Amino acid sequence: MDDESATPTPVRETYDRIAEHFASTREYPWPEVRAFLGDGRSGASGDDSAAHAEADIDAEAAAVLGGGAAPALRGRTDSPAGGRARVGLDLGCGNGRHAELLADRVERVVGIDVSGGLLQTARKRALQRGFDESLRLVQSDAAALPLRDGAVDVAVYVATLHHLRSRERRVASLSELARVLAPDGRALVSVWSTAHDRFDATAGFDTTVEWTLPGGERVPRFYHVYDPEEFASDLAASELSTVGTTVSSGNCYAVVEP
């Protein structure tokens, strides 16, 4: 998730408030992330609803996403003596469900989130599932990454960019992702889209979506819902190069490289 301290309710505070309940509903990796990383197994879809718990991505999305990370992982070695250790980034890592998937494919994983509460749930998951030794968790803003240039081989940046309130910050965040990717690195970026059946719009717009806690408290969350052309435009305005884009499960996805 991302933060903007100038706003009345920063995203950081929102997700700290709902962290435990939110994390409990986010058990499975998205099938689109599995496809990107070269894992064909099904998982929960973007909204984790029961109706999509075993959803598969369609053929068009599979053609764009399938094995998209492969060029970044080619030549991977399990021995530092045999080559540079591969590094994965889960940007907006939440409870670490995608960091866990990355840990199966790279030597080191960095999970970044602005919410300390969500990072605590990621730490708990890593300890319980045995990938804590390869995971480093960092609390940070998605538009100012505390990583050196070219440090990351493969990255997953899903369901986070749309929480940044201004286009300037969204494009800056995409450029930050480009900066930290290795020259042969690859990343998967996703955002909520007007293509989702919950929205009746054709152009991108700002909105709030409430999260309901046990007991009935409703916590509003800021979203910028992208239309597909707008998503492509923001990618083009950044320092990223787009390998391919698609819409799947109502979200826009892009495979990108620096």
PDB file of all heavy atoms in Angstrom, residues 146-174:
ATOM      1  N   PRO A 146      13.547   2.454  -1.026  1.00  0.00           N
ATOM      2  CA  PRO A 146      14.867   2.464  -0.391  1.00  0.00           C
ATOM      3  C   PRO A 146      15.761   1.345  -0.920  1.00  0.00           C
ATOM      4  O   PRO A 146      16.329   0.549  -0.165  1.00  0.00           O
ATOM      5  CB  PRO A 146      14.515   2.264   1.089  1.00  0.00           C
ATOM      6  CG  PRO A 146      13.319   1.379   1.056  1.00  0.00           C
ATOM      7  CD  PRO A 146      12.534   1.816  -0.158  1.00  0.00           C
ATOM      8  N   LEU A 147      15.886   1.273  -2.251  1.00  0.00           N
ATOM      9  CA  LEU A 147      16.676   0.242  -2.909  1.00  0.00           C
ATOM     10  C   LEU A 147      17.622   0.900  -3.904  1.00  0.00           C
ATOM     11  O   LEU A 147      17.298   1.944  -4.491  1.00  0.00           O
ATOM     12  CB  LEU A 147      15.773  -0.745  -3.643  1.00  0.00           C
ATOM     13  CG  LEU A 147      14.770  -1.541  -2.797  1.00  0.00           C
ATOM     14  CD1 LEU A 147      13.827  -2.322  -3.700  1.00  0.00           C
ATOM     15  CD2 LEU A 147      15.488  -2.483  -1.848  1.00  0.00           C
ATOM     16  N   ARG A 148      18.755   0.277  -4.105  1.00  0.00           N
ATOM     17  CA  ARG A 148      19.717   0.841  -5.061  1.00  0.00           C
ATOM     18  C   ARG A 148      19.269   0.574  -6.497  1.00  0.00           C
ATOM     19  O   ARG A 148      18.455  -0.319  -6.764  1.00  0.00           O
ATOM     20  CB  ARG A 148      21.113   0.277  -4.816  1.00  0.00           C
ATOM     21  CG  ARG A 148      21.247  -1.208  -5.024  1.00  0.00           C
ATOM     22  CD  ARG A 148      22.684  -1.657  -4.819  1.00  0.00           C
ATOM     23  NE  ARG A 148      22.809  -3.099  -4.876  1.00  0.00           N
ATOM     24  CZ  ARG A 148      22.850  -3.820  -5.990  1.00  0.00           C
ATOM     25  NH1 ARG A 148      22.746  -3.212  -7.165  1.00  0.00           N
ATOM     26  NH2 ARG A 148      22.970  -5.137  -5.946  1.00  0.00           N
ATOM     27  N   ASP A 149      19.822   1.331  -7.410  1.00  0.00           N
ATOM     28  CA  ASP A 149      19.513   1.167  -8.834  1.00  0.00           C
ATOM     29  C   ASP A 149      19.842  -0.257  -9.280  1.00  0.00           C
ATOM     30  O   ASP A 149      20.905  -0.801  -8.938  1.00  0.00           O
ATOM     31  CB  ASP A 149      20.318   2.141  -9.681  1.00  0.00           C
ATOM     32  CG  ASP A 149      19.961   3.599  -9.431  1.00  0.00           C
ATOM     33  OD1 ASP A 149      19.076   3.851  -8.596  1.00  0.00           O
ATOM     34  OD2 ASP A 149      20.585   4.470 -10.072  1.00  0.00           O
ATOM     35  N   GLY A 150      18.947  -0.855 -10.050  1.00  0.00           N
ATOM     36  CA  GLY A 150      19.221  -2.144 -10.658  1.00  0.00           C
ATOM     37  C   GLY A 150      19.335  -3.313  -9.704  1.00  0.00           C
ATOM     38  O   GLY A 150      19.908  -4.344 -10.064  1.00  0.00           O
ATOM     39  N   ALA A 151      18.754  -3.189  -8.503  1.00  0.00           N
ATOM     40  CA  ALA A 151      18.939  -4.226  -7.491  1.00  0.00           C
ATOM     41  C   ALA A 151      18.000  -5.412  -7.634  1.00  0.00           C
ATOM     42  O   ALA A 151      18.241  -6.468  -7.054  1.00  0.00           O
ATOM     43  CB  ALA A 151      18.765  -3.613  -6.099  1.00  0.00           C
ATOM     44  N   VAL A 152      16.911  -5.251  -8.405  1.00  0.00           N
ATOM     45  CA  VAL A 152      15.824  -6.232  -8.412  1.00  0.00           C
ATOM     46  C   VAL A 152      15.744  -6.944  -9.757  1.00  0.00           C
ATOM     47  O   VAL A 152      15.733  -6.305 -10.805  1.00  0.00           O
ATOM     48  CB  VAL A 152      14.480  -5.535  -8.106  1.00  0.00           C
ATOM     49  CG1 VAL A 152      13.313  -6.502  -8.270  1.00  0.00           C
ATOM     50  CG2 VAL A 152      14.505  -4.942  -6.707  1.00  0.00           C
ATOM     51  N   ASP A 153      15.665  -8.276  -9.710  1.00  0.00           N
ATOM     52  CA  ASP A 153      15.542  -9.062 -10.932  1.00  0.00           C
ATOM     53  C   ASP A 153      14.099  -9.233 -11.367  1.00  0.00           C
ATOM     54  O   ASP A 153      13.800  -9.169 -12.562  1.00  0.00           O
ATOM     55  CB  ASP A 153      16.183 -10.437 -10.718  1.00  0.00           C
ATOM     56  CG  ASP A 153      17.674 -10.331 -10.498  1.00  0.00           C
ATOM     57  OD1 ASP A 153      18.397 -10.128 -11.483  1.00  0.00           O
ATOM     58  OD2 ASP A 153      18.112 -10.423  -9.338  1.00  0.00           O
ATOM     59  N   VAL A 154      13.218  -9.497 -10.424  1.00  0.00           N
ATOM     60  CA  VAL A 154      11.810  -9.725 -10.753  1.00  0.00           C
ATOM     61  C   VAL A 154      10.943  -9.102  -9.664  1.00  0.00           C
ATOM     62  O   VAL A 154      11.270  -9.201  -8.478  1.00  0.00           O
ATOM     63  CB  VAL A 154      11.514 -11.231 -10.927  1.00  0.00           C
ATOM     64  CG1 VAL A 154      11.810 -12.016  -9.660  1.00  0.00           C
ATOM     65  CG2 VAL A 154      10.089 -11.475 -11.392  1.00  0.00           C
ATOM     66  N   ALA A 155       9.871  -8.432 -10.074  1.00  0.00           N
ATOM     67  CA  ALA A 155       9.028  -7.717  -9.113  1.00  0.00           C
ATOM     68  C   ALA A 155       7.553  -7.965  -9.389  1.00  0.00           C
ATOM     69  O   ALA A 155       7.147  -8.197 -10.535  1.00  0.00           O
ATOM     70  CB  ALA A 155       9.318  -6.210  -9.162  1.00  0.00           C
ATOM     71  N   VAL A 156       6.789  -7.904  -8.324  1.00  0.00           N
ATOM     72  CA  VAL A 156       5.339  -7.988  -8.385  1.00  0.00           C
ATOM     73  C   VAL A 156       4.789  -6.732  -7.709  1.00  0.00           C
ATOM     74  O   VAL A 156       5.094  -6.468  -6.548  1.00  0.00           O
ATOM     75  CB  VAL A 156       4.828  -9.255  -7.671  1.00  0.00           C
ATOM     76  CG1 VAL A 156       3.314  -9.260  -7.605  1.00  0.00           C
ATOM     77  CG2 VAL A 156       5.347 -10.508  -8.358  1.00  0.00           C
ATOM     78  N   TYR A 157       4.014  -5.952  -8.446  1.00  0.00           N
ATOM     79  CA  TYR A 157       3.472  -4.682  -7.951  1.00  0.00           C
ATOM     80  C   TYR A 157       1.978  -4.700  -8.236  1.00  0.00           C
ATOM     81  O   TYR A 157       1.507  -4.122  -9.205  1.00  0.00           O
ATOM     82  CB  TYR A 157       4.178  -3.527  -8.660  1.00  0.00           C
ATOM     83  CG  TYR A 157       3.865  -2.131  -8.156  1.00  0.00           C
ATOM     84  CD1 TYR A 157       3.267  -1.892  -6.924  1.00  0.00           C
ATOM     85  CD2 TYR A 157       4.201  -1.023  -8.938  1.00  0.00           C
ATOM     86  CE1 TYR A 157       3.005  -0.608  -6.485  1.00  0.00           C
ATOM     87  CE2 TYR A 157       3.946   0.271  -8.502  1.00  0.00           C
ATOM     88  CZ  TYR A 157       3.352   0.472  -7.281  1.00  0.00           C
ATOM     89  OH  TYR A 157       3.084   1.757  -6.845  1.00  0.00           O
ATOM     90  N   VAL A 158       1.226  -5.407  -7.398  1.00  0.00           N
ATOM     91  CA  VAL A 158      -0.195  -5.607  -7.668  1.00  0.00           C
ATOM     92  C   VAL A 158      -1.049  -4.967  -6.586  1.00  0.00           C
ATOM     93  O   VAL A 158      -0.690  -4.928  -5.410  1.00  0.00           O
ATOM     94  CB  VAL A 158      -0.542  -7.111  -7.800  1.00  0.00           C
ATOM     95  CG1 VAL A 158       0.246  -7.748  -8.932  1.00  0.00           C
ATOM     96  CG2 VAL A 158      -0.318  -7.868  -6.511  1.00  0.00           C
ATOM     97  N   ALA A 159      -2.207  -4.436  -7.030  1.00  0.00           N
ATOM     98  CA  ALA A 159      -3.233  -3.898  -6.126  1.00  0.00           C
ATOM     99  C   ALA A 159      -2.705  -2.827  -5.189  1.00  0.00           C
ATOM    100  O   ALA A 159      -3.129  -2.736  -4.037  1.00  0.00           O
ATOM    101  CB  ALA A 159      -3.869  -5.036  -5.319  1.00  0.00           C
ATOM    102  N   THR A 160      -1.791  -1.997  -5.669  1.00  0.00           N
ATOM    103  CA  THR A 160      -1.196  -0.954  -4.823  1.00  0.00           C
ATOM    104  C   THR A 160      -1.126   0.392  -5.529  1.00  0.00           C
ATOM    105  O   THR A 160      -1.456   1.416  -4.933  1.00  0.00           O
ATOM    106  CB  THR A 160       0.212  -1.383  -4.368  1.00  0.00           C
ATOM    107  OG1 THR A 160       0.108  -2.559  -3.559  1.00  0.00           O
ATOM    108  CG2 THR A 160       0.881  -0.292  -3.551  1.00  0.00           C
ATOM    109  N   LEU A 161      -0.716   0.398  -6.789  1.00  0.00           N
ATOM    110  CA  LEU A 161      -0.569   1.659  -7.518  1.00  0.00           C
ATOM    111  C   LEU A 161      -1.835   2.489  -7.473  1.00  0.00           C
ATOM    112  O   LEU A 161      -1.791   3.721  -7.369  1.00  0.00           O
ATOM    113  CB  LEU A 161      -0.181   1.366  -8.972  1.00  0.00           C
ATOM    114  CG  LEU A 161       0.016   2.563  -9.885  1.00  0.00           C
ATOM    115  CD1 LEU A 161       1.253   3.364  -9.474  1.00  0.00           C
ATOM    116  CD2 LEU A 161       0.143   2.102 -11.345  1.00  0.00           C
ATOM    117  N   HIS A 162      -2.993   1.837  -7.517  1.00  0.00           N
ATOM    118  CA  HIS A 162      -4.272   2.574  -7.547  1.00  0.00           C
ATOM    119  C   HIS A 162      -4.601   3.262  -6.226  1.00  0.00           C
ATOM    120  O   HIS A 162      -5.597   3.978  -6.145  1.00  0.00           O
ATOM    121  CB  HIS A 162      -5.415   1.648  -7.977  1.00  0.00           C
ATOM    122  CG  HIS A 162      -5.513   0.373  -7.217  1.00  0.00           C
ATOM    123  ND1 HIS A 162      -5.822  -0.820  -7.818  1.00  0.00           N
ATOM    124  CD2 HIS A 162      -5.342   0.081  -5.902  1.00  0.00           C
ATOM    125  CE1 HIS A 162      -5.854  -1.784  -6.912  1.00  0.00           C
ATOM    126  NE2 HIS A 162      -5.582  -1.261  -5.742  1.00  0.00           N
ATOM    127  N   HIS A 163      -3.796   3.057  -5.185  1.00  0.00           N
ATOM    128  CA  HIS A 163      -4.014   3.759  -3.916  1.00  0.00           C
ATOM    129  C   HIS A 163      -3.301   5.117  -3.866  1.00  0.00           C
ATOM    130  O   HIS A 163      -3.526   5.890  -2.934  1.00  0.00           O
ATOM    131  CB  HIS A 163      -3.545   2.904  -2.741  1.00  0.00           C
ATOM    132  CG  HIS A 163      -4.449   1.751  -2.436  1.00  0.00           C
ATOM    133  ND1 HIS A 163      -5.793   1.909  -2.157  1.00  0.00           N
ATOM    134  CD2 HIS A 163      -4.210   0.422  -2.365  1.00  0.00           C
ATOM    135  CE1 HIS A 163      -6.329   0.716  -1.918  1.00  0.00           C
ATOM    136  NE2 HIS A 163      -5.396  -0.195  -2.052  1.00  0.00           N
ATOM    137  N   LEU A 164      -2.429   5.414  -4.822  1.00  0.00           N
ATOM    138  CA  LEU A 164      -1.755   6.714  -4.863  1.00  0.00           C
ATOM    139  C   LEU A 164      -2.713   7.749  -5.442  1.00  0.00           C
ATOM    140  O   LEU A 164      -3.313   7.521  -6.503  1.00  0.00           O
ATOM    141  CB  LEU A 164      -0.483   6.631  -5.697  1.00  0.00           C
ATOM    142  CG  LEU A 164       0.734   6.013  -5.017  1.00  0.00           C
ATOM    143  CD1 LEU A 164       0.562   4.542  -4.736  1.00  0.00           C
ATOM    144  CD2 LEU A 164       1.988   6.234  -5.870  1.00  0.00           C
ATOM    145  N   ARG A 165      -2.837   8.878  -4.771  1.00  0.00           N
ATOM    146  CA  ARG A 165      -3.929   9.803  -5.090  1.00  0.00           C
ATOM    147  C   ARG A 165      -3.722  10.641  -6.343  1.00  0.00           C
ATOM    148  O   ARG A 165      -4.692  11.002  -6.991  1.00  0.00           O
ATOM    149  CB  ARG A 165      -4.198  10.726  -3.894  1.00  0.00           C
ATOM    150  CG  ARG A 165      -4.839   9.979  -2.721  1.00  0.00           C
ATOM    151  CD  ARG A 165      -5.127  10.921  -1.565  1.00  0.00           C
ATOM    152  NE  ARG A 165      -5.752  10.191  -0.463  1.00  0.00           N
ATOM    153  CZ  ARG A 165      -7.051  10.137  -0.230  1.00  0.00           C
ATOM    154  NH1 ARG A 165      -7.875  10.791  -1.033  1.00  0.00           N
ATOM    155  NH2 ARG A 165      -7.528   9.449   0.770  1.00  0.00           N
ATOM    156  N   SER A 166      -2.492  10.965  -6.688  1.00  0.00           N
ATOM    157  CA  SER A 166      -2.286  11.834  -7.854  1.00  0.00           C
ATOM    158  C   SER A 166      -1.601  11.066  -8.978  1.00  0.00           C
ATOM    159  O   SER A 166      -0.825  10.127  -8.743  1.00  0.00           O
ATOM    160  CB  SER A 166      -1.423  13.041  -7.472  1.00  0.00           C
ATOM    161  OG  SER A 166      -0.087  12.640  -7.198  1.00  0.00           O
ATOM    162  N   ARG A 167      -1.897  11.496 -10.215  1.00  0.00           N
ATOM    163  CA  ARG A 167      -1.239  10.868 -11.359  1.00  0.00           C
ATOM    164  C   ARG A 167       0.260  11.067 -11.282  1.00  0.00           C
ATOM    165  O   ARG A 167       1.040  10.163 -11.617  1.00  0.00           O
ATOM    166  CB  ARG A 167      -1.764  11.452 -12.671  1.00  0.00           C
ATOM    167  CG  ARG A 167      -1.087  10.819 -13.895  1.00  0.00           C
ATOM    168  CD  ARG A 167      -1.658  11.301 -15.217  1.00  0.00           C
ATOM    169  NE  ARG A 167      -1.126  10.518 -16.324  1.00  0.00           N
ATOM    170  CZ  ARG A 167      -0.151  10.926 -17.124  1.00  0.00           C
ATOM    171  NH1 ARG A 167       0.401  12.134 -16.967  1.00  0.00           N
ATOM    172  NH2 ARG A 167       0.274  10.154 -18.110  1.00  0.00           N
ATOM    173  N   GLU A 168       0.698  12.230 -10.827  1.00  0.00           N
ATOM    174  CA  GLU A 168       2.133  12.508 -10.728  1.00  0.00           C
ATOM    175  C   GLU A 168       2.831  11.462  -9.857  1.00  0.00           C
ATOM    176  O   GLU A 168       3.900  10.951 -10.214  1.00  0.00           O
ATOM    177  CB  GLU A 168       2.344  13.903 -10.140  1.00  0.00           C
ATOM    178  CG  GLU A 168       3.810  14.289  -9.983  1.00  0.00           C
ATOM    179  CD  GLU A 168       3.967  15.661  -9.371  1.00  0.00           C
ATOM    180  OE1 GLU A 168       3.003  16.179  -8.778  1.00  0.00           O
ATOM    181  OE2 GLU A 168       5.078  16.216  -9.481  1.00  0.00           O
ATOM    182  N   ARG A 169       2.214  11.134  -8.728  1.00  0.00           N
ATOM    183  CA  ARG A 169       2.821  10.147  -7.831  1.00  0.00           C
ATOM    184  C   ARG A 169       2.730   8.738  -8.404  1.00  0.00           C
ATOM    185  O   ARG A 169       3.632   7.918  -8.205  1.00  0.00           O
ATOM    186  CB  ARG A 169       2.164  10.215  -6.448  1.00  0.00           C
ATOM    187  CG  ARG A 169       2.662  11.391  -5.612  1.00  0.00           C
ATOM    188  CD  ARG A 169       1.921  11.515  -4.296  1.00  0.00           C
ATOM    189  NE  ARG A 169       1.938  10.297  -3.507  1.00  0.00           N
ATOM    190  CZ  ARG A 169       2.984   9.859  -2.780  1.00  0.00           C
ATOM    191  NH1 ARG A 169       4.120  10.543  -2.789  1.00  0.00           N
ATOM    192  NH2 ARG A 169       2.895   8.753  -2.066  1.00  0.00           N
ATOM    193  N   ARG A 170       1.656   8.454  -9.114  1.00  0.00           N
ATOM    194  CA  ARG A 170       1.550   7.127  -9.716  1.00  0.00           C
ATOM    195  C   ARG A 170       2.631   6.921 -10.773  1.00  0.00           C
ATOM    196  O   ARG A 170       3.288   5.874 -10.813  1.00  0.00           O
ATOM    197  CB  ARG A 170       0.141   6.923 -10.291  1.00  0.00           C
ATOM    198  CG  ARG A 170      -0.940   6.853  -9.217  1.00  0.00           C
ATOM    199  CD  ARG A 170      -2.267   6.383  -9.773  1.00  0.00           C
ATOM    200  NE  ARG A 170      -2.902   7.327 -10.664  1.00  0.00           N
ATOM    201  CZ  ARG A 170      -3.760   8.280 -10.279  1.00  0.00           C
ATOM    202  NH1 ARG A 170      -4.067   8.434  -8.995  1.00  0.00           N
ATOM    203  NH2 ARG A 170      -4.319   9.083 -11.180  1.00  0.00           N
ATOM    204  N   VAL A 171       2.830   7.910 -11.625  1.00  0.00           N
ATOM    205  CA  VAL A 171       3.872   7.799 -12.653  1.00  0.00           C
ATOM    206  C   VAL A 171       5.252   7.763 -11.994  1.00  0.00           C
ATOM    207  O   VAL A 171       6.135   6.996 -12.411  1.00  0.00           O
ATOM    208  CB  VAL A 171       3.759   8.953 -13.661  1.00  0.00           C
ATOM    209  CG1 VAL A 171       4.956   8.954 -14.619  1.00  0.00           C
ATOM    210  CG2 VAL A 171       2.455   8.847 -14.454  1.00  0.00           C
ATOM    211  N   ALA A 172       5.454   8.571 -10.945  1.00  0.00           N
ATOM    212  CA  ALA A 172       6.734   8.566 -10.236  1.00  0.00           C
ATOM    213  C   ALA A 172       7.015   7.196  -9.632  1.00  0.00           C
ATOM    214  O   ALA A 172       8.157   6.718  -9.636  1.00  0.00           O
ATOM    215  CB  ALA A 172       6.739   9.635  -9.145  1.00  0.00           C
ATOM    216  N   SER A 173       5.968   6.549  -9.115  1.00  0.00           N
ATOM    217  CA  SER A 173       6.137   5.227  -8.529  1.00  0.00           C
ATOM    218  C   SER A 173       6.529   4.202  -9.592  1.00  0.00           C
ATOM    219  O   SER A 173       7.388   3.343  -9.355  1.00  0.00           O
ATOM    220  CB  SER A 173       4.852   4.803  -7.821  1.00  0.00           C
ATOM    221  OG  SER A 173       5.008   3.539  -7.224  1.00  0.00           O
ATOM    222  N   LEU A 174       5.901   4.284 -10.752  1.00  0.00           N
ATOM    223  CA  LEU A 174       6.270   3.386 -11.849  1.00  0.00           C
ATOM    224  C   LEU A 174       7.723   3.610 -12.271  1.00  0.00           C
ATOM    225  O   LEU A 174       8.454   2.650 -12.558  1.00  0.00           O
ATOM    226  CB  LEU A 174       5.334   3.598 -13.031  1.00  0.00           C
ATOM    227  CG  LEU A 174       3.879   3.161 -12.811  1.00  0.00           C
ATOM    228  CD1 LEU A 174       2.996   3.661 -13.950  1.00  0.00           C
ATOM    229  CD2 LEU A 174       3.769   1.647 -12.677  1.00  0.00           C
TER     230      LEU A 174
END
